[in-house]
Amino acid sequence: MSKHRAEPHALSSLAARAQLGDRRALEELLRRLEQPLGEHVRGIVRDDDSAADVLQDTLIIISRRLGSVRDVAWVRAWAYRVATREAVRAARKAHRHAGDPLGDAEGVPAPGDEPPAVDEELLAALPDKLAGVPAGAQIVLRLHYLQSLSQQEVAEALEIPLGTVKSRLAYGLQCLRKTWVP
């Protein structure tokens, strides 16, 4: 999991102050988001130079559009939405993903309300194993397990229903378990 998890409440507070014109709050918000968003973007575009460009674009968009965020409690999910869109756009442009990177994992039943149980060894190996998972499930796994977003935050970030998040988590874990050799 990310060692750089940004505290949602602190981010909300910084975002609220930044919306009121506090430049230092905006700089601190961007500083706290930079590392986790960078990890997320790098995992999607899989190229350090492209990831750096996408991250820079993402932080610029966040700083320019922060005023449009109505509920600062969702600023972290919104920041990941911006980062994901920019990363997917860059990946498509570089022909790294075929088809829709956020495509549905069809035919996978939605699991119950509890997140799928994950073996600790599998979780530790997750960053290296994600390349073999379909892109839509990969992004959900990355946001939930590596960036520590709640299922609801993932749904907000990707603008998809909560049930879709749950099914993509289950499908992604199923794909990982098929190839997992501890």
Side-chain angles (χ1 to χ4, degrees):
M1 283 191 232
S2 176
K3 296 175 278 197
H4 309 285
R5 181 171 185 234
E7 170 61 38
H9 178 70
L11 294 180
S12 299
S13 175
L14 287 169
R17 291 181 17 226
Q19 284 182 332
L20 295 173
D22 184 337
R23 188 77 182 155
R24 284 190 212 151
L26 176 60
E27 290 170 4
E28 179 64 15
L29 175 68
L30 295 175
R31 187 190 68 72
R32 289 186 185 195
L33 288 170
E34 185 174 11
Q35 182 66 33
L37 290 178
E39 290 173 7
H40 175 62
V41 165
R42 198 171 302 105
I44 295 171
V45 299
R46 296 192 182 115
D47 175 77
D48 288 342
D49 291 335
S50 294
D53 291 344
V54 169
L55 178 61
Q56 182 179 5
D57 292 346
T58 298
L59 294 174
I60 290 169
I61 291 168
I62 289 170
S63 66
R64 288 183 179 163
R65 296 187 186 160
L66 183 61
S68 70
V69 177
R70 288 188 215 139
D71 185 353
V72 293
W74 292 102
V75 74
R76 184 168 81 133
W78 174 77
Y80 276 97
R81 178 185 305 161
V82 172
T84 300
R85 283 183 180 170
E86 293 302 306
V88 167
R89 184 176 294 128
R92 281 183 179 154
K93 192 174 183 180
H95 306 293
R96 295 204 189 288
H97 288 291
D100 182 6
L102 299 178
D104 290 328
E106 293 185 27
V108 179
D113 290 338
E114 292 299 313
V118 180
D119 181 289
E120 289 301 317
E121 286 184 69
L122 178 60
L123 189 56
L126 192 60
D128 297 329
K129 302 294 183 191
L130 281 174
V133 176
Q138 183 182 128
I139 291 172
V140 172
L141 287 168
R142 183 175 304 287
L143 287 171
H144 184 66
Y145 289 111
L146 298 180
Q147 300 302 326
S148 303
L149 270 69
S150 70
Q151 291 179 8
Q152 186 61 49
E153 286 176 312
V154 173
E156 278 292 316
L158 299 178
E159 297 178 292
I160 59 177
L162 182 58
T164 303
V165 169
K166 291 177 181 182
S167 68
R168 288 182 184 176
L169 281 173
Y171 180 67
L173 290 172
Q174 179 183 25
C175 291
L176 287 170
R177 285 184 179 116
K178 284 180 182 176
T179 62
W180 174 243
V181 180

